[in-house]
Amino acid sequence: MDSLKKKFAEKALALFTELRAINKEHGETKLDEVVLRQITGGARGIKMMLWETSQLDAQEGIRFRGYSIPEIKKLLPSGPQGEPKPEGLFWLMLTGEIPTEEEVNGLTAEWHKRSEVPQQVFTTLDSMPTDTHPMTQFTIGIMAMQPESVFDRRYAEGLPKTEYWDAVYEDSMNLIARLPRVAAYIYRRTFKGGEHIAPDHSLDWSANFAHMLGSDDEDFRSLMRLYLTIHADHEGGNASAHTVNLVGSTLSDPYRSFAAGMNALAGPLHGLANQEVIKWIFEMIDNLGTKTPTKEQIADYVNDTLAQKKVIPGYGHAVLREPDPRFVAQRRFAEQYIKDSELIETVWKIFDVVPPILQGLGKVKNPWPNVDAHSGALLVHYGFSEYSYYTVLFGVSRALGVLAAGIWSRALGMPLERPKSVTSDWIKQQLK
Ligand code: HAX
C-alpha cells in the first residue's frame, strides 16, 4: 500500500466512525431552510452533499481543507520558483495534512509509475477528426481508458462495500497519472500536426505536462504548477464537481463519473468560460482595431455585448461575491513574472471597467471577475493561443479535487444521491 493510501485509510476510517455516531444522534436536527426562490433558481445555496476536500465562502473564496490560496502558496512544497505543486494539494485534500517535500516527491514518482496510457486511447483519439473540440476529445480519451477500471472489474468480482474506496483510489490515482499524457496528446494532434513529445519522468507532474505540451520554459512550468493547483477544487456544488459526485454515487466507476463531470465543465457558463473570455477579448481587439484599447473603448464594447443579450465571460459567480482569489493569484503571477504584455494590461483594464457596468444593471449578484477572466491571457503570453484547448487544462486540474472527493465519498459510505423534485402544481398547492 502506498504511503498516501495508508494515511488516507487511517483518516477515513476515523471519520466514517465519527460521522455514523453524529448521524445517529443528530440525524433529524434541522440545519437550514429552503425557500421557493432556491427551487426555481438553480438550487443556489441548498445544502445537500458532503464534500470534504474544500469549502467556498462567498466573500473569502476557496479554502482547501481550511487553507486559503495564499496559505497553500506558502505552505505546500513548491517548484524551484516557489509555485506550489498540485501533488501537495492532492495529498492535503485526501489527508487534511500539509505534506513534506519527501511525501510530494513520492507522489510524483507514484504517478509516473502509473502513467502508461493504453494504446487504445491514442488509436481512439486518432480516429476523431482533428477539428473535434478538444473537450470532446478529452472525454472520449477518458472513456477510452475505462476498460482499465479497477473498480469496475473488482465490483463484477463481488467487491465488498468496505473496499469500494480502495478500488476508487486505484482508478483515481491511475487517471490522474495518465491525464497529462492524454491531454498533451490531444493538444499536439489538434494543433501541432501530431508531433508528439515523450514524457520526461525526471520532472514533476506539472512540468512534465508542460514539457509534453511543448514548453520547457521555467516560468511556464511555474504557471502550470499554480494553474493546476488553483483550478483543482471549488467545493462540491459547482456543475462539474456535482456531476462527478452524482454519477459516482451510482457506483459508476471514476472514469465514467469524471468524464460526465468534464461534459459539465465544457459548458460556457462553467469551465468553457476560459475559452470564451479570450475569444471575446480577441474579437474586441479585432473590432476596435487596436491591441491597446482605452477604458472608454472597452466600456463601449462591454455595453455592446450586453445589448446583444450576451454575458460578459469571466465575470459573475453563483456563490462568490468578491473578486475570485484565483483571479487575484493569477494577477499576482503576471505581476511577478511577466513584463509589458498588452494583452494582460487589457485584462486588467477590463477588471477596472466591467464591475461598475454590471453593477449598474441592477440584477447581477456578483460583478467581479472569476477564475476564467485571467487564465487565457497568461497562456497566450507563453505561446498557447489555441483557446479552444483551455478547458482541457482546467479539466486536468479539476481531476485532482473531484477524484479526491470521490475517494472520500466511497470511504464514508455515501449513498446514491437522490434529491427531490417538485412540479409547479405542487408549488401552487403549497402556497394556497
Ligand atoms: N454578464 C452579463 N450578465 C450577467 C453576468 C455577466 N457576467 N453574470 C450574471 N449576469 C446576469 C444573469 O445572466 C442573470 O440575468 P437574467 O436575470 O436576465 O437571467 C442575472 O445577471 C442574475 O444572475 P446572477 O444571479 O448574478 O448569476 P447566476 O448565479 O445566475 O450565474 C454565472 C452565475 C457564472 C453563470 C453568471 O455570472 C455568468 O453567466 N457569468 C459569465 C460566464 C462565466 O464567466 N462563467 C464562469 C463562472 C465560473 C466558473 O464556473 N468557472 O469555471
Side-chain angles (χ1 to χ4, degrees):
M1 195 184 274
D2 68 72
S3 55
L4 175 57
K5 192 177 187 180
K6 207 163 148 213
K7 186 157 262 187
F8 174 76
E10 287 162 20
K11 304 266 172 183
L13 184 63
L15 187 58
F16 175 83
T17 313
E18 192 185 357
L19 268 182
R20 281 264 149 132
I22 293 175
N23 246 332
K24 201 166 167 212
E25 198 182 338
H26 302 286
E28 302 306 316
T29 306
K30 188 167 157 184
L31 295 180
D32 210 352
E33 288 182 336
V34 175
V35 297
L36 173 58
R37 185 170 16 87
Q38 291 175 290
I39 299 174
T40 55
R44 295 288 180 285
I46 298 179
K47 301 176 181 68
M48 51 72 73
M49 78 177 93
L50 205 64
W51 192 267
E52 286 300 294
T53 47
S54 67
Q55 185 148 8
L56 184 59
D57 178 82
Q59 265 68 42
E60 197 188 42
I62 193 68
R63 277 185 180 269
F64 305 97
R65 301 302 296 254
Y67 296 98
S68 67
I69 287 179
E71 285 165 354
I72 59 163
K73 278 190 70 174
K74 216 179 290 163
L75 296 171
L76 285 183
S78 57
Q81 294 178 323
E83 301 303 335
K85 287 187 186 168
E87 288 93 323
L89 180 69
F90 186 70
W91 185 288
L92 172 67
M93 288 189 290
L94 276 184
T95 65
E97 292 177 9
I98 299 285
T100 63
E101 194 92 36
E102 199 190 338
E103 286 168 332
V104 159
N105 292 340
L107 188 52
T108 305
E110 183 66 35
W111 286 350
H112 284 325
K113 211 167 76 190
R114 294 168 180 258
S115 65
E116 184 75 29
V117 173
Q119 182 54 40
Q120 83 259 11
V121 176
F122 303 129
T123 313
T124 307
L125 287 172
D126 284 339
S127 73
M128 299 301 296
T130 49
D131 62 357
T132 307
H133 192 280
M135 276 307 275
T136 307
Q137 296 190 53
F138 192 48
T139 47
I140 289 171
I142 295 160
M143 286 311 293
M145 289 189 273
Q146 190 281 335
E148 308 271 310
S149 170
V150 174
F151 183 88
D152 212 33
R153 176 176 51 77
R154 285 173 61 186
Y155 190 85
E157 291 165 1
L159 188 70
K161 271 184 180 183
T162 46
E163 290 178 33
Y164 287 171
W165 75 267
D166 185 294
V168 166
Y169 178 92
E170 291 303 318
D171 276 347
S172 300
M173 290 284 279
N174 291 340
L175 241 171
I176 292 168
R178 293 168 189 176
L179 282 176
R181 182 86 210 278
V182 175
Y185 192 88
I186 292 166
Y187 178 73
R188 303 288 308 179
R189 78 178 290 271
T190 308
F191 303 109
K192 301 291 168 188
E195 284 178 27
H196 297 291
I197 299 170
D200 178 348
H201 288 177
S202 69
L203 299 170
D204 56 273
W205 191 67
S206 314
N208 182 42
F209 186 20
H211 166 74
M212 290 187 289
L213 287 171
S215 172
D216 287 316
D217 181 291
E218 199 52 62
D219 288 1
F220 183 64
R221 287 177 178 174
S222 290
L223 174 66
M224 289 310 283
R225 290 187 189 102
L226 178 70
Y227 184 107
L228 296 170
T229 298
I230 62 176
H231 286 78
D233 206 30
H234 217 222
E235 75 170 32
N238 68 80
S240 53
H242 183 193
T243 305
V244 177
N245 192 63
L246 169 68
V247 177
S249 82
T250 70
L251 300 186
S252 197
D253 65 63
Y255 293 89
R256 291 178 168 128
S257 57
F258 181 60
M262 289 303 95
N263 282 320
L265 194 72
L269 294 187
H270 189 20
L272 203 85
N274 64 3
Q275 87 165 36
E276 296 298 294
V277 166
I278 213 73
K279 179 167 172 262
W280 180 81
I281 295 177
F282 283 163
E283 283 169 1
M284 175 176 73
I285 286 168
D286 263 4
N287 259 278
L288 298 175
T290 170
K291 288 183 170 174
T292 54
T294 63
K295 289 186 185 176
E296 291 69 28
Q297 286 174 309
I298 293 172
D300 288 345
Y301 197 78
V302 168
N303 284 320
D304 269 4
T305 303
L306 293 171
Q308 292 168 43
K309 305 276 178 242
K310 296 197 241 169
V311 295
I312 307 301
Y315 282 77
H317 200 273
V319 179
L320 288 170
R321 295 296 177 256
E322 290 285 338
D324 191 334
R326 301 172 298 175
F327 174 90
V328 176
Q330 293 178 85
R331 182 171 179 149
R332 297 279 168 271
F333 183 94
E335 286 162 354
Q336 186 179 343
Y337 291 88
I338 300 172
K339 300 276 166 282
D340 305 324
S341 159
E342 286 169 343
L343 187 60
I344 287 170
E345 297 284 341
T346 301
V347 166
W348 295 351
K349 276 188 215 162
I350 294 170
F351 173 56
D352 291 336
V353 168
V354 168
I357 296 179
L358 290 183
Q359 248 153 359
L361 296 178
K363 64 173 183 179
V364 181
K365 294 193 193 64
N366 174 37
W368 300 108
N370 58 55
V371 65
D372 301 315
H374 210 309
S375 54
L378 296 172
L379 294 166
V380 171
H381 176 80
Y382 291 108
F384 293 89
S385 53
E386 301 91 351
Y387 53 73
S388 65
Y389 184 74
Y390 291 175
T391 315
V392 175
L393 294 176
F394 193 157
V396 171
S397 170
R398 187 46 60 102
L400 299 174
V402 297
L403 293 172
I407 300 167
W408 268 112
S409 291
R410 299 292 75 75
L412 297 177
M414 289 298 126
L416 177 76
E417 192 182 302
R418 203 336 183 159
K420 179 86 185 99
S421 67
V422 295
T423 63
S424 55
D425 277 344
W426 181 88
I427 291 176
K428 286 184 254 174
Q429 286 285 340
Q430 301 303 307
L431 295 176
K432 266 186 194 157

